Amino acid sequence: MSAVGLFYVGAVLILNGLLLLGVVSAKGAAPLNLFVGGLQVVVPTALLIRADDPAAVFEAAPLYLFGFTYLWVGINAAMAWDQRGLGWFSLFVSVTAVAVSVYNGAALGDGPFAVIWLYWAVLWFLFFLVLGLDTARLSRLTGWFAIVTGVVTAAVPGALLVVGLWPAPTAAPAAAITTGALALIGAAALLLPALLGGRGHAPAASAPGG
């Protein structure tokens, strides 16, 4: 995923977290979902056209998972479609994200992005529970986790990548610290809302951030 694309993914995740929390409406969140969704379809298509090895294909192909999610959210807002289809697609995204996480960690030795992909796997699984299985009591937890995920896995890494400050996988100490920090923040983001009673109901017009 390009650094610029990752940065804007952070924006849409934060916005859709606010959507799940009832701060913004589905129609209010639709334009950014459509803009970023379009970006996340155009960019991998361009990368795949130029791809000449399996590594390049691997880098580009998973981006469609998020592009399709954001476009689906935006179209759902305009058309008032049933959210369950998007919820079940989110389960597919979640399982795929686990596989990509394992590949990043085991094959590429990229600890930070292995953890980042795990964030996305958990978040999309929460989308599946909320939208696919209509588990409304998890809406607020999912909204808060989407906001945290948008900040720590997309907006901040995207900005640091743009300015060349994100640690390379070969930079062992910095990469290890980043991996540990990401894991701790993710665990806290899942556990603290539950401990503080943040699993209450959110408005029905909720949708993923992707």
Side-chain angles (χ1 to χ4, degrees), residues 4-173:
V4 174
L6 187 62
F7 182 76
Y8 286 104
V9 164
V12 81
L13 282 170
I14 293 167
L15 182 65
N16 285 343
L18 294 172
L19 169 58
L20 282 159
L21 294 173
V23 176
V24 299
S25 68
K27 288 189 176 180
L32 185 62
N33 277 280
L34 294 171
F35 296 151
V36 178
L39 178 68
Q40 294 298 91
V41 169
V42 171
V43 169
T45 299
L47 292 174
L48 286 173
I49 290 171
R50 296 184 298 172
D52 55 3
D53 63 82
V57 173
F58 170 79
E59 181 181 354
L63 302 187
Y64 287 114
L65 298 170
F66 308 115
F68 294 160
T69 297
Y70 306 140
L71 288 174
W72 204 331
V73 171
I75 294 170
N76 271 3
M79 304 298 292
W81 286 344
D82 189 331
Q83 298 274 37
R84 284 175 292 183
L86 176 57
W88 281 92
F89 174 68
S90 296
L91 178 61
F92 177 83
V93 176
S94 177
V95 173
T96 304
V98 171
V100 177
S101 171
V102 171
Y103 183 82
N104 269 276
L108 301 182
D110 191 339
F113 267 93
V115 176
I116 283 172
W117 276 95
L118 279 181
Y119 268 82
W120 295 338
V122 171
L123 180 58
W124 262 256
F125 186 72
L126 288 171
F127 292 153
F128 162 66
L129 294 177
V130 172
L131 301 179
L133 300 184
D134 196 24
T135 312
R137 69 180 183 276
L138 294 176
S139 293
R140 289 191 62 82
L141 172 62
T142 305
W144 284 115
F145 190 67
I147 292 170
V148 173
T149 298
V151 173
V152 304
T153 74
V156 171
L160 292 177
L161 283 164
V162 167
V163 298
L165 295 178
W166 183 256
T170 53

